[in-house]
Structure formats: C-alpha cells, structure tokens
Amino acid sequence: MEQITIKEVAKLCGVGVSTVSRAMNNHPDINEATKQKIMEVIQQYNYVPNNSARNLKRSDSRTIAVLVKGISNPFFADMIQVFEREINKKKYSFVLQHVEEFEDEVDVAIQLEKEKRLQGIVFLGGLSNHASEKLQQLTVPFVVSTVDDETLAKTYATVTVDDEKESYRMVDYLIRCGHERIAILAAGEKDESIGKLRLAGYRKALEDHGIACDEQLVRRSHEEIPTYSMENGYALTRELLDSGIGFTCLYAISDSMAIGACKALFDAGKRVPEDYSVAGYDGLPIAAYYEPSITTICQPRKEMAEATIRILFDLIKKKKVEKRQIFEATLVEGQSTKRIR
C-alpha cells in the first residue's frame, strides 16, 4: 500500500492542499474544526510530510531497521549482535530503534520507513494484535521475531518458539516434581504478546493436572517497572511473600525476573531451593552461572536471529518463504528447583 500524499489528505478532508499545509504548520489563519479534521486524517493514515525523501528511489538506500520492544531484556542482546553482523555482512546499514513497552511499534516503523527509506524491518519482541489495514501501510518487507501469533503468521513472516507450549512444558515439569502451589510472575494486564502466551501455558498445565488456578498466585507486572527485569522479579516476589499466601514454587516468565525473585527470597531469609523452588524462561547465560543455577526454558537465540535475517533478505529478493518458523526450546534443569515427592 503506497503512502498517502498531501493531495489525498486534502481530498479526504474536502479542502485545498494549502489548507492542509497551514494546518500542519499550526497557522492561525484556519478554522479550528477544519484543522482538527485534517490532523485526524493525517494521524489515521500516518501521513508524514517528507517529500524529498519520498521522491528519492528506494534503491538509493540500503538500510535495515530492527525495532526492539523491551530493549532492557538481556535476552535480545545476543540476537541484536547477530542481526548487526549479518546485515553488515550483506553491505547494508543497520539501524536499531527502541520502542517503549506501551508504544505502537507499527506507528514507529511507518515513520522510520519514510525517514530512513528502509529496505526491510525486523520487529523484535513486539507486534501483536495489529489490524491488517495498518500493517499494509508498510511498503517494505518485514519479519516478526520472537512473537508467536498464528493469525499474523498467515500473512506475514514470523520466527519464534511456541511460547504457550514451552511455558506449559516448564509448569508440567514443576508439577511432576511435586509442586502444586506454583506462583507465576507474569506480564501486566495489558500484555497481548509473549507474556500472555506464557501465562496461558501456565494455566493450561495446571488445568490438565487437575489443579485449580489460584489467582492470588498470579502476580502481574507493574507498568512503571520494565516487565522482564530483575527489579520487577524482586518487587513481585516481595509482594507475594508479604501477602502470606502459601506456595512452594515460583515460576518467572524470564530468567532476569527469576534472579530478582531469588534475591527477594534471600533478603527475606529464605533459601532456594530448600524453602522455595524457582524457575525461569529464556535460557540466558547468567542463568547457568547464577548461584544456584536457574532451571529454565532455553530458546535457540542465535539460530532464531540467523533465520530472521535470512528470511528478511529472501523477502527483499521477492523469494517465497515459510511464513511461520517455529523453533524448539529445551528445558534445562538447574539447581534452583527440587523435587518434593
């Protein structure tokens, strides 16, 4: 879908091009209602005035952008290194763009595409529940990496693990170790991405084992703290301990959160795993070197990153690609969990 022009904005608003220009430049000589109508159309169609860039040929630019939602999550560090290496190897420029947790990454991508005249885009850690009409405003190929969305994958390329299945695997393992009172450190209520899927896997595993889900054991991240951070894991675990609710095991949806949880338990005079078992998700290197080592779901980050770039360049070359590529993760048993029966 081609980007809308200033003439088309004017036509949609029933005004002249000069009126649109005055509205964008906040000129006082314009009716307020007309100005509001114009600005609403501009926002709806993501029109960005950049005529000089739009008139240049796309082939003049060899730039790939990686948009990261949750850049503080160390899980992405290795993947970003692979992206940069592989993109530079193909003689393309690499642009890294941070997207805030509750910011719309498609809006960011649309504007960035116009400003940088991109050849392709990688969405890392974001992009779910977006209307197809909005995604169609992107005129360059893109790949969604680390987000599993069946609906999205019917039309667009995705590279991921099955987060719900892998989360189920972890909780199933913990239940088989004898734990029934399993608390989860989950994403916030507004999360519609991997956090939602990992929570769904937790609920399904409990259900399949005939264990009722105690909602008091579902601890939701606070908006003011980055979701997948040690700080968040620490805060949620302190809240859980202060509540007095009984549990034997704590499952965090990221290794960083699991490490923060361990710190909170230690500060409360508790031991891991003697008093509480702790499990994480991601397979970060720090999980293996932490004391005690963290039981986790290890995702093949390097392989996923390489597949993401390979697929993106195939799309740029207009080759056919497999829309949904799902990698298998591995459950790694650490010293942070124990069997209680």
Side-chain angles (χ1 to χ4, degrees), residues 154-179:
K154 290 176 182 177
T155 307
Y156 304 106
T158 62
V159 176
T160 185
V161 299
D162 187 329
D163 279 289
E164 183 173 342
K165 185 185 84 170
E166 300 299 349
S167 186
Y168 180 104
R169 182 194 302 201
M170 174 58 82
V171 179
D172 176 72
Y173 163 80
L174 296 171
I175 294 170
R176 293 180 189 280
C177 286
H179 299 281

Side-chain angles (χ1 to χ4, degrees), residues 25-44:
N25 290 302
N26 204 25
H27 198 283
D29 185 22
I30 183 173
N31 179 277
E32 190 60 36
T34 302
K35 177 182 174 182
Q36 184 176 347
K37 181 179 180 181
I38 292 169
M39 298 312 293
E40 286 175 356
V41 169
I42 285 172
Q43 183 176 11
Q44 180 183 349

Side-chain angles (χ1 to χ4, degrees), residues 1-203:
M1 177 176 173
E2 289 297 322
Q3 301 297 340
I4 194 169
T5 66
I6 192 170
K7 288 183 179 179
E8 289 167 326
V9 172
K11 185 176 180 181
L12 287 167
C13 297
V15 299
V17 170
S18 61
T19 304
V20 175
S21 179
R22 289 202 303 275
M24 290 189 298
N25 290 302
N26 204 25
H27 198 283
D29 185 22
I30 183 173
N31 179 277
E32 190 60 36
T34 302
K35 177 182 174 182
Q36 184 176 347
K37 181 179 180 181
I38 292 169
M39 298 312 293
E40 286 175 356
V41 169
I42 285 172
Q43 183 176 11
Q44 180 183 349
Y45 289 90
N46 290 284
Y47 171 69
V48 176
N50 192 357
N51 292 323
S52 58
R54 189 161 43 243
N55 291 333
L56 290 172
K57 291 183 178 179
R58 180 77 64 185
S59 59
D60 290 341
S61 171
R62 291 172 64 85
T63 303
I64 304 295
V66 176
L67 277 68
V68 188
K69 178 168 279 191
I71 201 166
S72 61
N73 185 352
F75 174 77
F76 295 134
D78 291 344
M79 298 188 73
I80 291 169
Q81 287 183 7
V82 173
F83 291 151
E84 185 171 17
R85 185 191 69 224
E86 294 301 313
I87 289 168
N88 290 339
K89 194 183 291 184
K90 295 181 181 296
K91 309 300 181 186
Y92 276 69
S93 298
F94 169 80
V95 173
L96 182 64
Q97 178 71 40
H98 169 53
V99 181
E100 296 292 343
E101 189 162 354
F102 298 104
E103 191 176 10
D104 190 315
E105 57 271 18
V106 179
D107 284 341
V108 175
I110 290 169
Q111 182 149 348
L112 195 63
E113 178 190 341
K114 296 172 181 177
E115 292 174 354
K116 301 291 185 182
R117 296 179 290 115
L118 302 175
Q119 284 282 307
I121 298 170
V122 173
F123 290 101
L124 185 61
L127 192 62
S128 60
N129 290 342
H130 283 289
S132 58
E133 293 81 6
K134 193 168 188 180
L135 288 169
Q136 287 169 10
Q137 293 181 43
L138 290 169
T139 63
V140 297
F142 63 86
V143 180
V144 182
S145 192
T146 73
V147 176
D148 185 23
D149 187 317
E150 287 187 49
T151 303
L152 190 71
K154 290 176 182 177
T155 307
Y156 304 106
T158 62
V159 176
T160 185
V161 299
D162 187 329
D163 279 289
E164 183 173 342
K165 185 185 84 170
E166 300 299 349
S167 186
Y168 180 104
R169 182 194 302 201
M170 174 58 82
V171 179
D172 176 72
Y173 163 80
L174 296 171
I175 294 170
R176 293 180 189 280
C177 286
H179 299 281
E180 294 189 3
R181 297 287 295 171
I182 303 170
I184 182 171
L185 305 187
E189 293 282 356
K190 295 180 181 179
D191 183 274
E192 292 291 334
S193 190
I194 56 178
K196 180 180 180 180
L197 294 169
R198 293 176 190 180
L199 178 58
Y202 163 85
R203 294 187 189 280

Side-chain angles (χ1 to χ4, degrees), residues 181-238:
R181 297 287 295 171
I182 303 170
I184 182 171
L185 305 187
E189 293 282 356
K190 295 180 181 179
D191 183 274
E192 292 291 334
S193 190
I194 56 178
K196 180 180 180 180
L197 294 169
R198 293 176 190 180
L199 178 58
Y202 163 85
R203 294 187 189 280
K204 183 73 163 55
L206 292 177
E207 180 185 342
D208 286 355
H209 282 276
I211 300 172
C213 180
D214 184 347
E215 292 301 325
Q216 295 182 96
L217 294 178
V218 178
R219 294 286 151 167
R220 296 282 196 167
S221 297
H222 302 294
E223 288 188 13
E224 67 273 13
I225 306 176
T227 298
Y228 300 95
S229 65
M230 296 182 195
E231 180 187 2
N232 196 28
Y234 185 92
L236 294 178
T237 303
R238 287 304 299 259

Side-chain angles (χ1 to χ4, degrees), residues 243-309:
S243 72
I245 298 165
F247 65 101
T248 64
C249 181
L250 195 156
Y251 166 45
I253 64 167
S254 79
D255 289 339
S256 293
M257 293 174 76
I259 290 170
C262 286
K263 171 65 173 169
L265 291 169
F266 298 151
D267 285 355
K270 308 300 181 183
R271 299 169 300 166
V272 176
E274 292 83 0
D275 297 320
Y276 296 100
S277 288
V278 175
Y281 192 116
D282 282 337
L284 297 179
I286 194 174
Y289 290 96
Y290 190 73
E291 182 61 40
S293 57
I294 305 295
T295 296
T296 185
I297 294 291
C298 185
Q299 300 188 67
R301 299 183 299 281
K302 179 174 178 288
E303 292 81 358
M304 290 166 64
E306 290 174 343
T308 297
I309 296 302

